[in-house]
Amino acid sequence: MNPACPSSAAAHAANTATVPSLRHDYSPELAEHWRQRHERYVARAQEGGINVLFVGDSITEGWRQQGEAAWQRWFAPLGAASFGASGDRTQQVLWRLAHGDLAGFTPKVAVLLIGTNNLDTGLGQERPTPANTPAEIVAGVESIVRLVQQHHPSARILLVGLLPRGEKETRYRSAVPEINRGLRALAESSRIAFLEVGHHFLPADGELPPALMPDQLHLSEHGYEVLATALHPAIKALLAPVP
């Protein structure tokens, strides 16, 4: 084998977005908080009765905070649960799903919104988590899809496009659409759907409205209401019997 041409397995392993991992760049305090949150999700999973599972990062975790009113209005009646963890990348979601977040229940729909944190490097100086390219992030999301399918082959999956973020002319503005094009390509069957929601948050002038995204990344209470009204019809459609 030509040493300049690594095997596909080696190339795959080089993509950190596809390798289940803890956040090694977290302080002991942050790591303990993350662990406790994961244990709460495992306990909730074991209780069962979850029809719609939301999985993701701080945007998903925010359904318990700024998004609580919208959650109660739109998703709690569907038997939904939110397993979001602030700061998570695709690799942390993979780790959580492989360590109990998918056990004890049989969801009808899994809603995945993850990947924006992969665009940034990690915390600290000693073992920072590297940033990922758009293609690597799409591969990480695909690994999550396959893991959900492995555990719950009857579940239908809603891939939610990453939300726009940052100022105009930043790298985020070009990376997010590229990632979303890759996610759309993953929706290759009746059991996987893709939903683009960015246009609900990005007006024609390209400036993210502070009323929806105060820090150009996270959502306000009104922002969650906008997101909920975009997600709800798509989730209801996926809850319907497959023809």
Side-chain angles (χ1 to χ4, degrees), residues 68-79:
E68 177 67 19
W71 178 269
Q72 293 300 326
R73 181 181 302 113
W74 295 101
F75 304 126
L78 302 180

Side-chain angles (χ1 to χ4, degrees), residues 3-232:
C5 298
S7 68
S8 59
H12 180 79
N15 178 8
T16 57
T18 65
V19 181
S21 175
L22 302 173
R23 281 294 295 261
H24 300 297
D25 55 337
Y26 272 0
S27 67
E29 294 79 13
L30 278 176
E32 177 61 17
H33 179 71
W34 188 93
R35 183 191 64 80
Q36 291 177 0
R37 180 173 42 203
H38 167 61
E39 290 180 352
R40 290 196 299 270
Y41 292 157
V42 172
R44 173 63 186 92
Q46 290 297 323
E47 293 174 4
I50 299 174
N51 290 326
V52 182
L53 176 67
F54 284 66
V55 177
D57 49 37
S58 58
I59 302 297
T60 300
E61 186 175 18
W63 289 116
R64 300 172 178 271
Q65 300 156 2
Q66 291 91 340
E68 177 67 19
W71 178 269
Q72 293 300 326
R73 181 181 302 113
W74 295 101
F75 304 126
L78 302 180
S82 174
F83 287 6
S86 178
D88 267 15
R89 302 163 186 247
T90 54
Q91 51 264 52
Q92 281 76 59
V93 169
L94 284 166
W95 193 96
R96 289 197 285 119
L97 297 183
H99 289 80
D101 281 15
L102 289 176
F105 66 103
T106 304
K108 296 179 180 178
V109 175
V111 182
L112 306 181
L113 175 52
I114 187 67
T116 195
N117 290 322
N118 290 74
L119 289 168
D120 297 314
T121 55
L123 305 175
Q125 300 296 323
E126 293 187 6
R127 301 179 65 186
T129 306
N132 295 111
T133 66
E136 289 175 336
I137 294 169
V138 172
V141 176
E142 183 176 14
S143 295
I144 294 170
V145 169
R146 303 311 172 204
L147 185 59
V148 172
Q149 291 177 321
Q150 176 185 335
H151 283 262
H152 300 294
S154 65
R156 304 179 77 181
I157 297 172
L158 179 61
L159 295 175
V160 183
L162 299 192
L163 302 181
R165 58 178 290 194
E167 298 276 359
K168 290 194 296 185
E169 310 304 329
T170 62
R171 61 188 178 87
Y172 302 118
R173 292 300 184 91
S174 59
V176 166
E178 183 177 351
I179 292 166
N180 288 347
R181 286 191 292 272
L183 297 182
R184 185 184 296 275
L186 296 180
E188 83 289 353
S189 74
S190 63
R191 294 202 169 276
I192 305 175
F194 172 79
L195 181 65
E196 175 65 74
V197 297
H199 59 284
H200 294 289
F201 298 90
L202 194 63
D205 64 7
E207 298 287 351
L208 291 170
L212 299 180
M213 303 181 80
D215 63 354
Q216 300 184 326
L217 176 61
H218 300 96
L219 300 180
S220 65
E221 182 176 350
H222 181 43
Y224 274 104
E225 183 68 24
V226 171
L227 181 58
T229 56
L231 292 177
H232 187 262

